[in-house]
Amino acid sequence: MTDDVNPSAANLEFAAGNGLVHRRLFLQGSALLGATGLGLLTARTASTAPPPEVPEWMRAPGAPMSPYGGRSRFEEDVQRIVGPPARGTTGAGSSRTPLERITGMITPNGLHFERHHSGIPDIDPNRHQLLIHGLVDRPLMFSMDALHRYPMVSRIQFLECSGNSRINMNPEPADRSCGGLHGLVSCSEWTGIPLGVLLEEAGVSSDARWLLAEGSDAAAMTRSVPLAKAMDDAMLALYQNGEALRPGQGYPVRLFLPGWEGNISVKWLRRLKLTRAPTMTKDETSKYTDPRPDGVAEMFTFPMGVKSLITSPAGGLTMQGPGLYEISGIAWSGSGRIRRVEVSADGGASWADAALTEPVLSKALTRFRVPWQWDGGPAVLLSRAIDENGAVQPLRNEIIAAKGLHFYYHNNAVQSWQVASNNEVKNVFV
Ligand code: CO
């Protein structure tokens, strides 16, 4: 490969150290790619390629139509990373999205991460009901048929477990893939009913400030939700990426609270009780609280921080020798839109702006991309996101200085990937 590097590499417009090329090279419709960069991506020209053959799949009709589509058999190794069941039960634990094997901003339904506390219930929608009660004028009970008659909205938004990326607070960097480290984040188009519509129908009492949300799983997962969030952008989600929620995502109805830690978007929702104060359930006192170095535990830390990850090149992938690469990744913020993503190829010594792929939506994954001319030498790749409020993703050392080493939730530290001359890409701390 090295010998094939096109002499036009000399014409590349570098934007930062160690080979980061200006993002405009890969912008759609850019004449620069044809004039300057394309030769760097082409392994061989047609004149030296072998003549076309007629493969066996052209010699007979292919498979018939099918009632529900599946993947190519050559893609079946793209799978969630399923963790071991926790504490001797079968249903408690998580599975992670293989972030380094997918692209764009939408997570396929079959690869959306899971985090369950007592398995996935097998709910009959004809028997499932949702109760709204407590501090309301009129307690209401909804069948699923009744819920489906309400006007709906659709939004593309991410969901991230607040325990995502915790493993990078270990003293040594774990040798895991990108998804294995950070795969408790996914992004979907969610469709459902604005929760405020149903709360107004029930008539919320003036002294109500919180809701208790209860799931219909064997853990009876319960969390306390501030009323202000419920009336702002909360949704009762019924559909994900155009089809009914999968059982693992809360079928037939889940609470969805955009930008907030995933656990509070209670799946298999069966009850919302309006209360004056938080209920202090087992799920928010034994978990999802944040001990500080001074011994105080912070509760109800809901929004997920501004964060980004390079998903290619990344752990779980292998380089193919020196040459021009597209660095690609995802960025998101629980507080709004992504304004900017910077990328470094020299361990943070210098940074270049990445191109953000449209659409850039509030509380959604945003895909970013930047070209990189890898010379085959050691490199450390980092990305750093800034959201529309000006919040900057912290370095690992900065977050440790603020929160200590023993916090569990809300790790939004910058991820570093070490690219080695032997083509390996590994998790590293800088
Ligand atoms: Co939290």
Side-chain angles (χ1 to χ4, degrees), residues 162 223 261 288-290 300-304 409-410:
S162 64
R223 289 293 304 266
E261 58 188 17
Y288 305 105
T289 64
D290 307 303
F300 309 122
T301 52
F302 297 129
M304 298 307 291
Y409 301 106
H410 296 275

Side-chain angles (χ1 to χ4, degrees), residues 65-100:
M65 284 53 72
S66 62
Y68 195 91
R71 297 186 290 183
S72 161
R73 62 192 173 92
F74 299 103
E75 299 295 329
E76 284 173 359
D77 64 326
V78 181
Q79 298 193 336
R80 288 190 289 226
I81 303 120
V82 181
R87 298 177 191 88
T89 75
T90 54
S94 61
S95 68
R96 293 160 190 263
T97 298
L99 297 169
E100 71 281 5

Side-chain angles (χ1 to χ4, degrees), residues 110-346:
L111 296 175
H112 194 289
F113 84 87
E114 302 171 284
R115 170 74 178 102
H116 309 313
H117 292 248
S118 193
I120 303 167
D122 181 29
I123 297 178
D124 178 350
N126 294 316
R127 291 167 55 198
H128 186 75
Q129 293 186 304
L130 171 67
L131 172 65
I132 298 180
H133 68 140
L135 297 174
V136 294
D137 300 335
R138 293 171 295 280
L140 297 173
M141 183 76 93
F142 298 90
S143 67
M144 291 307 300
D145 282 344
L147 285 181
H148 276 267
R149 292 188 59 183
Y150 280 81
M152 299 194 195
V153 295
S154 297
R155 300 193 205 106
I156 296 173
Q157 283 159 336
F158 78 84
L159 190 69
E160 183 182 20
C161 176
S162 64
N164 195 23
S165 313
R166 195 222 62 85
I167 195 168
N168 265 355
M169 284 301 135
N170 289 353
E172 298 298 324
D175 185 13
R176 287 203 191 185
S177 68
C178 183
L181 292 167
H182 305 290
L184 296 178
V185 64
S186 302
C187 185
S188 298
E189 183 203 53
W190 303 94
T191 296
I193 307 156
L195 178 54
V197 170
L198 301 183
L199 293 179
E200 281 172 13
E201 185 177 349
V204 177
S205 302
S206 60
D207 51 349
R209 294 290 179 275
W210 291 74
L211 296 82
L212 173 70
E214 182 181 74
S216 192
D217 59 336
M221 250 293 309
T222 42
R223 289 293 304 266
S224 300
V225 180
L227 179 60
K229 180 68 170 178
M231 300 301 284
D232 177 18
D233 60 357
M235 176 195 288
L236 296 187
L238 303 169
Y239 296 89
Q240 181 182 9
N241 295 330
E243 65 179 1
L245 294 178
R246 299 275 172 105
Q249 293 304 321
Y251 180 84
V253 56
R254 80 176 301 166
L255 187 58
F256 191 83
L257 302 179
W260 282 19
E261 58 188 17
N263 176 256
I264 200 166
S265 285
V266 174
K267 302 190 288 286
W268 316 295
L269 189 68
R270 70 188 295 263
R271 188 160 72 99
L272 291 169
K273 182 181 183 184
L274 280 291
T275 60
R276 287 180 182 81
T279 305
M280 310 300 271
T281 72
K282 71 183 191 306
D283 299 297
E284 58 203 14
T285 54
S286 71
K287 299 182 184 67
Y288 305 105
T289 64
D290 307 303
R292 297 193 318 215
D294 65 4
V296 172
E298 290 184 28
M299 294 191 70
F300 309 122
T301 52
F302 297 129
M304 298 307 291
V306 60
K307 190 165 174 179
S308 69
L309 302 164
I310 294 171
T311 57
S312 177
L317 300 176
T318 304
M319 305 296 287
Q320 297 171 49
L324 188 63
Y325 287 81
E326 180 182 74
I327 294 174
S328 173
I330 48 175
W332 65 99
S333 167
S335 301
R337 288 176 179 77
I338 290 297
R339 175 193 293 167
R340 184 178 182 191
V341 178
E342 300 168 300
V343 171
S344 174
D346 53 15

